[in-house]
Amino acid sequence: MPAQNYANHARYVKGFHFLLASLLIIGTITSIVNLYMQVKANDSVIGSILITTLFICGILLFWYARRFAVTVQDRAIRAEECIRYYILTHKAIDSKLTMGQIIALRFANDDEFLILADRAVRENLSPDEIKRSIKNWKADQHRA
């Protein structure tokens, strides 16, 4: 696995993010077109309604399954980074740091972590600005 850095830290699972998402979008569009054609032809639409409903349910499941996993991961990262900050300073992390900022700080090694945390509060750095400011990237290979 190549060394992780700003350019390659996002994780995409091809089968989930690209294949499944594409199949759900294509299936949903096709089922809606089919439903429209059935209604226009005055045919029985119950099957078309069920298929369209299933595809819409698939899209919702796809979205929420990912969202729930990322939310739990974000909470774990926040807890880890709060503990890390406390170990390094013997103080609680600044409450002005947003969840996004804390999540971005996880990529900073201990030498940069405190400096960037202070800068993030002082300058209201965005998560992207924090990540771009990191000189010595600390990889996170366990992200969802």
Side-chain angles (χ1 to χ4, degrees):
M1 188 171 217
Q4 195 179 94
N5 57 44
Y6 176 81
N8 70 1
H9 78 284
R11 181 176 183 196
Y12 294 103
V13 178
K14 291 176 187 170
F16 182 81
H17 290 100
F18 302 112
L19 180 62
L20 181 58
S22 297
L23 290 173
L24 284 170
I25 290 168
I26 291 167
T28 302
I29 291 168
T30 304
S31 70
I32 291 169
V33 169
N34 182 54
L35 177 60
Y36 173 77
M37 290 170 59
Q38 294 293 321
V39 168
K40 194 171 182 178
N42 288 326
D43 286 341
S44 175
V45 296
I46 193 74
S48 297
I49 289 171
L50 289 173
I51 291 169
T52 302
T53 302
L54 286 173
F55 271 104
I56 291 170
C57 289
I59 286 176
L60 291 171
L61 182 62
F62 174 86
W63 173 258
Y64 284 111
R66 179 74 181 143
R67 192 71 247 141
F68 294 155
V70 169
T71 299
V72 171
Q73 176 180 271
D74 289 351
R75 291 182 63 158
I77 291 168
R78 181 181 61 195
E80 290 169 0
E81 297 310 309
C82 286
I83 291 168
R84 179 178 171 204
Y85 189 89
Y86 185 81
I87 289 169
L88 294 171
T89 66
H90 301 290
K91 297 177 189 171
I93 199 164
D94 196 316
S95 62
K96 293 178 188 145
L97 284 170
T98 66
M99 178 75 93
Q101 289 172 317
I102 293 170
I103 292 165
L105 285 166
R106 82 181 187 271
F107 296 111
N109 68 19
D110 290 347
D111 297 337
E112 295 178 274
F113 179 71
L114 297 176
I115 296 165
L116 277 173
D118 183 51
R119 256 189 77 207
V121 171
R122 246 188 8 261
E123 299 173 24
N124 195 26
L125 297 177
S126 71
D128 192 63
E129 290 170 321
I130 292 169
K131 291 179 194 175
R132 289 179 185 273
S133 298
I134 297 170
K135 293 174 184 67
N136 190 3
W137 195 271
K138 185 181 98 180
D140 178 4
Q141 305 296 348
H142 304 288
R143 61 204 189 281

